Amino acid sequence: MRKTEALDAAPVPGAGMHAGDAALKPFVPGEALRIACGAVSVEIVPKAGGRILQITHDCVDWLQGYSDTNAAMIAWGCFPMLPWAGRVRRGHFNFAGRSYQLPINLGRHAIHGLGFAMPWRVEAHSARRIELSLQLPEDEHWPFGGRAHQCIEAGPHWLRMSLDISAGARAMPAVIGWHPWLRKPEHLEFAPTRCYPRDVDDIATRPLANPPPPPWDDCFINQRPVVVRRSGQSLRLTSDCRHWVIYDQTEHATCIEPQTGPPDAFNLEPTVLAPGETRSAWFLWEWV
């Protein structure tokens, strides 16, 4: 199932939904906490996957938020992806000589990790900054445990997000990133160098290739700022991540997703955290 097909069904979660399509179920935001500075205002909903509900700059909303017709867990706000980002093919991977099966939550695959579906704990909250944490399970959903932390901070014309994941007593694979549902840009400047081709399952593969023309649902190698323009504003997106997924196949939104590895990284390019080791990343929004 392609993401476009899944999201066509998102306005009416439950209608004809497969048992494994948990990512399409309605996900109510719950209480929103606010941070702000200058022209930037941000609403965060800790219980709804520690995600951002809305980002506003100078009275312009930048995210597709929650509504009765846009209620699916996968379809709104800006949410952290961990301990994996994008799809794990059929939820299956091998690690340290053992085979593991993750729960399927979209079509035939496990998508976007666990963090976006779990309540996060508020560790600190001030006028312009919030910190959240998440204890990962040690069960059939994720056998390794570990802990995640994120910080969201607003400046006069910028927003900075940082995210990290730490292994517990066991080594584990890990990929982290962000999934913002940006309202449809009027103009997008994006100049990646390479792309992971998609196979018949629409999952990233190797070897790398030249970037195809849009529309995209693809993972790219990119180390340059991404510029988005809409409603008379210009937004520059940068990150220390070199993998960027761009999804622009809907009319209402474009997703611009920096992450520390490609989709299906557990099978394609495994990154391993030793016991107690931490992986970190940052994502900066600047209105210029």
Side-chain angles (χ1 to χ4, degrees):
M1 177 187 292
R2 302 187 70 171
K3 192 184 291 186
T4 44
E5 295 171 346
L7 292 173
D8 286 343
V12 285
M17 187 184 298
H18 298 293
D21 283 341
L24 296 181
K25 292 181 179 178
F27 202 43
V28 178
E31 180 186 6
L33 301 179
R34 183 176 182 269
I35 61 173
C37 181
V40 176
S41 176
V42 185
E43 292 180 279
I44 301 100
V45 283
K47 292 185 178 180
R51 76 182 68 196
I52 296 173
L53 174 64
Q54 189 55 263
I55 298 169
T56 303
H57 178 263
D58 199 16
C59 300
V60 174
D61 291 339
W62 278 82
L63 295 179
Q64 285 292 339
Y66 172 90
S67 69
D68 290 342
T69 58
N70 193 53
M73 180 186 298
I74 199 176
W76 57 271
C78 174
F79 52 79
M81 298 184 288
L82 59 89
W84 69 91
R87 293 170 176 85
V88 175
R89 188 187 300 272
R90 300 194 172 116
H92 180 266
F93 66 98
N94 295 313
F95 180 74
R98 290 185 57 186
S99 176
Y100 293 92
Q101 179 64 51
L102 300 169
I104 303 303
N105 63 348
L106 187 67
R108 295 177 294 170
H109 310 293
I111 195 168
H112 297 338
L114 303 177
F116 81 117
M118 297 178 67
W120 289 60
R121 177 178 176 178
V122 178
E123 297 290 351
H125 179 209
S126 62
R128 56 179 290 188
R129 178 186 173 99
I130 190 168
E131 294 187 43
L132 308 171
S133 67
L134 176 67
Q135 184 68 45
L136 292 169
E138 294 182 66
D139 57 19
E140 69 278 7
H141 296 93
W142 180 251
F144 303 100
R147 186 173 178 84
H149 175 270
Q150 61 171 320
C151 177
I152 305 166
E153 184 174 5
H157 295 283
W158 54 265
L159 177 68
R160 189 180 192 274
M161 304 172 229
S162 62
L163 184 63
D164 61 63
I165 186 169
S166 300
R170 299 176 59 186
M172 69 182 199
V175 177
I176 59 178
W178 293 267
H179 195 302
W181 282 94
L182 287 148
R183 296 191 178 191
K184 200 66 177 181
E186 296 157 9
H187 180 73
L188 174 65
E189 292 180 13
F190 179 57
T193 55
R194 301 291 276 169
C195 179
Y196 289 79
R198 283 181 287 123
D199 63 11
V200 293
D201 285 329
D202 285 311
I203 293 182
T205 62
R206 294 184 66 96
L208 298 180
N210 291 327
W216 295 312
D217 185 7
D218 298 281
C219 181
F220 302 88
I221 300 297
N222 174 63
Q223 294 176 289
R224 298 181 62 181
V226 180
V227 177
V228 179
R229 295 190 176 93
R230 59 174 294 269
S231 300
Q233 297 186 11
S234 181
L235 172 64
R236 181 171 61 205
L237 303 173
T238 54
S239 174
D240 60 347
C241 299
R242 62 191 295 264
H243 296 85
W244 293 69
V245 170
I246 306 291
Y247 171 62
D248 67 349
Q249 296 183 359
T250 66
E251 295 182 357
H252 70 285
T254 292
C255 302
I256 302 174
E257 311 162 35
Q259 47 196 64
T260 60
D264 201 31
F266 288 1
N267 294 305
L268 198 61
E269 299 176 12
T271 297
V272 178
L273 296 182
E277 186 178 4
T278 297
R279 182 77 186 269
S280 303
W282 55 264
F283 187 20
L284 180 63
W285 296 37
E286 299 172 285
W287 285 268
V288 295

